[in-house]
Amino acid sequence: MTRSPSNRITRAWLLLVLLTLFSLGAGRVGIGGLVANAVVLAAAFAKGRWMLMDFLKLRGTPPGWRALFLSWLMMVTALPWCAAAVSALRG
Amino acid sequence: MVAGQEERSWGALSDLPGHPMMWVLILTEVVTFGLLLLTFAGARAVQPALFAVGQAQLDATLGGMNTVVLVTSGWLAALAVEARATGGRLRARILLAAAICLGLVFIAVKVIEYVAKARLGIGMDTDTFFTLYFLLTGFHLLHVVMGVAILALVAVHDSLDNLKTGTAFWHMVDLVWVVMYPLIYLVG
């Protein structure tokens, strides 16, 4: 079944709110540095992806644009985790 | 120049929703914010203890609440474009007005947060963490103020293309905060 644009936008919003609450919980329980960081940053990537696709409407644009913005999103969520991991390993 | 040629005169940018000039601005902003976010992450890797102390003084719940406020504003703005595209001009304006109100709530919460920090004697020159905290969140806040003004402008001049252009900027502001919030408030 094809979703209407409004339904798709509302679904994205619900997921964004749920992931924000999940991130807040995961960030506060203190279940361990690198694992918690990975979960929180993965949630940020997922949220950013929904925003790009459903709010900014990149879903209907040529793949090059999607790749460009998703690469940026991957960079700003993955590199901070890598930096934190290097820092933790150095003790 | 004929209409078809004019539409393609921006090259690949013409494939994006809204005015291509807005996307030039958006691309510039995401590069700038990207560098700022990576600077923050790099500085934390160098001074993890200092950043842990600084982060403990932030109110993550307030930041999370502001994230929900901003994504809800983005949702309303996106629905406004859909409403305008299907001829619901009044509905689009009401949705934009609600999006603007939530943008103002975000600004108010951020100001409350800054005032609370100032009362504790925390400022930009407290340490590296707070220099970057105020720099990143302040620069973003400036964009929220600009975004609210742009949304108000396109609510008045409400052609579909204007709405797509104005809300694209707003979603960029939203996107940056969605990455900035966990990076500053949650990642330890």
Side-chain angles (χ1 to χ4, degrees):
Chain A
M1 194 174 74
T2 310
R3 279 197 186 91
S4 76
S6 293
N7 285 349
R8 195 185 279 278
I9 290 165
T10 299
R11 177 178 148 271
W13 169 70
L14 279 171
L15 291 167
L16 287 167
V17 170
L18 287 174
L19 270 184
T20 299
L21 297 176
F22 172 75
S23 299
L24 185 57
R28 290 174 74 91
V29 290
I31 52 170
L34 290 178
V35 176
N37 289 348
V39 169
V40 165
L41 289 169
F45 177 85
K47 285 156 67 178
R49 189 181 175 281
W50 273 309
M51 280 182 168
L52 287 168
M53 295 301 152
D54 295 318
F55 287 9
L56 266 167
K57 294 277 191 297
L58 291 192
R59 198 180 292 278
T61 60
W65 282 118
R66 293 199 296 275
L68 183 71
F69 278 95
L70 289 174
S71 300
W72 174 85
L73 187 59
M74 178 60 83
M75 189 183 72
V76 294
T77 50
L79 287 183
W81 185 85
C82 293
V86 169
S87 175
L89 289 173
R90 285 169 58 196
Chain B
M1 190 184 289
V2 296
Q5 282 176 315
E6 194 175 1
E7 276 172 20
R8 293 300 314 170
S9 63
W10 288 85
L13 286 168
S14 307
D15 295 323
L16 295 164
H19 197 283
M21 196 62 203
M22 179 57 85
W23 284 92
V24 173
L25 179 65
I26 288 172
L27 287 166
T28 310
E29 298 292 0
V30 294
V31 170
T32 307
F33 275 110
L35 290 172
L36 285 171
L37 292 169
L38 294 180
T39 300
F40 185 90
R44 176 170 36 218
V46 175
Q47 299 174 286
L50 177 82
F51 274 59
V53 171
Q55 191 185 54
Q57 296 179 77
L58 299 182
D59 189 337
T61 306
L62 207 58
M65 194 188 94
N66 241 358
T67 307
V68 172
V69 165
L70 209 54
V71 298
T72 303
S73 177
W75 169 60
L76 294 169
L79 287 179
V81 174
E82 293 306 322
R84 187 70 182 90
T86 53
R89 195 171 179 184
L90 178 64
R91 182 174 154 78
R93 280 184 163 163
I94 290 168
L95 286 164
L96 275 180
I100 290 167
C101 286
L102 288 180
L104 295 173
V105 169
F106 181 94
I107 293 167
V109 170
K110 210 79 207 121
V111 170
I112 288 168
E113 215 177 324
Y114 286 165
V115 170
K117 292 288 159 288
R119 283 190 178 145
L120 293 171
I122 295 170
M124 266 197 90
D125 52 359
T126 298
D127 56 32
T128 312
F129 175 83
F130 280 105
T131 300
L132 289 172
Y133 164 78
F134 283 111
L135 188 68
L136 265 74
T137 59
F139 191 49
H140 179 263
L141 186 61
L142 187 67
H143 283 76
V144 174
V145 173
M146 283 164 55
V148 165
I150 290 171
L151 287 184
L153 195 66
V154 299
V156 176
H157 303 284
D158 64 340
S159 69
L160 179 59
D161 201 45
N162 283 351
L163 256 66
K164 284 181 180 174
T165 303
T167 56
F169 183 83
W170 192 240
H171 296 317
M172 180 277 293
V173 171
D174 208 352
L175 174 69
V176 168
W177 179 255
V178 156
V179 178
M180 191 181 284
Y181 165 65
L183 195 61
I184 294 179
Y185 289 77
L186 300 177
V187 171

